[in-house]
Amino acid sequence: MGRWEPNARGRLAEAALELYVERGYEQTTVAEIAKRSGLTERTFFRHFADKREVLFSGSDALREHLVNAVAGAPESAAPIEAVTAAFEEVGALFQEDRERVLRRQSVIAANAELRERELIKLARWSADLADTLRRRGGADPAASLAAEVGVAAFKIAFERWVGGPGEPDLSELIRESFGELKTVVAGG
Amino acid sequence: MGRWEPNARGRLAEAALELYVERGYEQTTVAEIAKRSGLTERTFFRHFADKREVLFSGSDALREHLVNAVAGAPESAAPIEAVTAAFEEVGALFQEDRERVLRRQSVIAANAELRERELIKLARWSADLADTLRRRGGADPAASLAAEVGVAAFKIAFERWVGGPGEPDLSELIRESFGELKTVVAGG
């Protein structure tokens, strides 16, 4: 107890995800997660507030990545261009981690409360992206619209990536989704 | 108890909204709502599952209105045109009921759980609009994108209507928001 455990956080997260997939999220207890990872419940609670946080703790890092990508986009980039490029970067990160992202997604999809939490996470991304666009000098409602439609285009690309046949490339699907967005909004 | 009360549902809803505004949503009990409306708790529960449902029971009717408007749009209308026209209709309904809609919105804005419920409501609208567009013959991802960006443009118009100075017209703001959407997505 209390001693340093190498990569405790990663081991706990992996054990939790395994159990959520095997037994279902609701049926899994923190005690079981601790046991599977060879660590204690106490160690679990040093790293995560509860078993839900295991699924959402990566979200802040992704949000920061998005926000930094938009903040660092060339001044000449239109808001939608900055947002598209930022989501393509996130897409590449997901692509590298495809197997884990898909397992996480299967857990989220099976539970109504987690699906709601996921929507709320995306709304937070959108709000932060809009703030970042405003700090770059974008005015509203354009900044809010670019952020909202960016999240929408990403969400739809992500759903195709998860549900689609074969092993599509997420960054490619994101580019397609933003391209399709132009056609749709233009009334095509 | 059990006898017919004229417009019980409307009286309960109005009493609830008054109390949520005066005392806060969390602080209000069903007993207080019943008392304010001159009805019984039993009557309340014949009309609403709980005090939250009072705020969201109108949502299904609005969703149906949206869906019917999109389903009934001329065959020649592009998905985004059908969606824009549907939201303009909803905007006109809100506009007629402005005072009550704004009071409801102030209650939602003050409570994190209600704000989340509102997001989930909008996600449901988007899913149903996408279904309706597919039934009209729209293919994905275009149908899903048109639905998602429609909800986004509506949401931003609604926020401007609620927060904006003066007494703007919601249908007008919705038209502006969809117009701005074209500019934003085109990279303007």
Side-chain angles (χ1 to χ4, degrees), chain A residues 56-135:
Chain A
F56 290 93
S57 67
S59 166
D60 286 341
L62 283 170
R63 191 156 44 84
E64 265 178 50
H65 195 105
L66 272 175
V67 160
N68 290 338
V70 168
E75 254 183 74
S76 61
I80 194 73
E81 291 168 351
V83 168
T84 306
F87 276 112
E88 282 178 32
E89 284 185 26
V90 166
L93 294 176
F94 278 18
Q95 187 69 42
E96 281 170 23
D97 205 15
R98 176 174 166 89
E99 186 272 335
R100 204 192 54 76
V101 175
L102 292 189
R103 279 194 295 154
R104 174 186 178 279
Q105 191 55 32
S106 73
V107 175
I108 304 280
N111 181 289
E113 186 216 330
L114 297 175
R115 289 196 302 272
E116 293 184 2
R117 190 57 38 196
E118 190 78 350
L119 281 176
I120 291 154
K121 180 193 88 176
L122 290 178
R124 178 92 195 271
W125 286 9
S126 174
D128 283 12
L129 283 176
D131 277 345
T132 309
L133 290 169
R134 281 188 288 267
R135 277 200 301 276

Side-chain angles (χ1 to χ4, degrees), chain B residues 84-145:
Chain B
T84 306
F87 276 112
E88 282 180 31
E89 284 185 28
V90 166
L93 294 176
F94 278 18
Q95 186 69 41
E96 282 170 23
D97 205 14
R98 176 174 166 89
E99 185 271 335
R100 204 191 55 75
V101 176
L102 293 189
R103 279 193 296 154
R104 175 186 178 280
Q105 191 53 34
S106 73
V107 175
I108 304 282
N111 181 289
E113 186 215 332
L114 297 175
R115 288 195 302 272
E116 293 183 1
R117 191 54 40 194
E118 191 77 351
L119 279 176
I120 291 153
K121 180 192 87 175
L122 290 178
R124 179 90 197 272
W125 286 11
S126 175
D128 283 12
L129 283 175
D131 277 345
T132 310
L133 289 168
R134 281 188 288 266
R135 277 201 302 276
R136 283 180 87 232
D140 259 330
S144 300
L145 278 166

Side-chain angles (χ1 to χ4, degrees), chain B residues 30-80:
Chain B
V30 169
E32 289 167 335
I33 297 169
K35 192 171 174 214
R36 170 76 61 106
S37 61
L39 297 164
T40 63
E41 286 188 62
R42 193 163 156 167
T43 302
F44 179 94
F45 288 114
R46 266 205 299 276
H47 290 280
F48 301 103
D50 52 36
K51 66 178 187 171
R52 193 178 72 186
E53 206 201 317
V54 181
L55 294 167
F56 289 93
S57 65
S59 165
D60 286 342
L62 283 170
R63 192 157 44 85
E64 266 178 50
H65 195 106
L66 271 175
V67 161
N68 291 337
V70 168
E75 254 184 74
S76 61
I80 194 73

Side-chain angles (χ1 to χ4, degrees), chain A residues 5-185:
Chain A
E5 292 281 0
N7 191 25
R9 190 180 173 87
R11 283 160 61 192
L12 287 161
E14 177 56 28
L17 194 51
E18 281 174 21
L19 288 164
Y20 297 165
V21 169
E22 286 169 26
R23 304 184 185 175
Y25 169 77
E26 277 170 69
Q27 286 73 42
T28 300
T29 65
V30 169
E32 290 166 334
I33 297 169
K35 192 172 173 213
R36 170 76 61 106
S37 61
L39 298 164
T40 63
E41 286 188 62
R42 193 163 158 165
T43 302
F44 179 92
F45 288 115
R46 266 205 299 276
H47 289 280
F48 301 104
D50 53 35
K51 68 179 185 169
R52 193 176 73 188
E53 207 202 317
V54 181
L55 294 167
F56 290 93
S57 67
S59 166
D60 286 341
L62 283 170
R63 191 156 44 84
E64 265 178 50
H65 195 105
L66 272 175
V67 160
N68 290 338
V70 168
E75 254 183 74
S76 61
I80 194 73
E81 291 168 351
V83 168
T84 306
F87 276 112
E88 282 178 32
E89 284 185 26
V90 166
L93 294 176
F94 278 18
Q95 187 69 42
E96 281 170 23
D97 205 15
R98 176 174 166 89
E99 186 272 335
R100 204 192 54 76
V101 175
L102 292 189
R103 279 194 295 154
R104 174 186 178 279
Q105 191 55 32
S106 73
V107 175
I108 304 280
N111 181 289
E113 186 216 330
L114 297 175
R115 289 196 302 272
E116 293 184 2
R117 190 57 38 196
E118 190 78 350
L119 281 176
I120 291 154
K121 180 193 88 176
L122 290 178
R124 178 92 195 271
W125 286 9
S126 174
D128 283 12
L129 283 176
D131 277 345
T132 309
L133 290 169
R134 281 188 288 267
R135 277 200 301 276
R136 282 180 88 234
D140 260 328
S144 300
L145 278 166
E148 288 274 345
V149 301
V151 169
F154 168 75
K155 190 176 155 213
I156 285 160
F158 183 80
E159 284 164 8
R160 294 177 71 198
W161 186 60
V162 168
E167 293 215 0
D169 179 79
L170 181 55
S171 293
E172 181 61 33
L173 289 176
I174 289 171
R175 266 190 299 280
E176 276 180 33
S177 191
F178 278 88
E180 185 79 11
L181 184 65
K182 280 187 204 290
T183 311
V184 164
V185 168

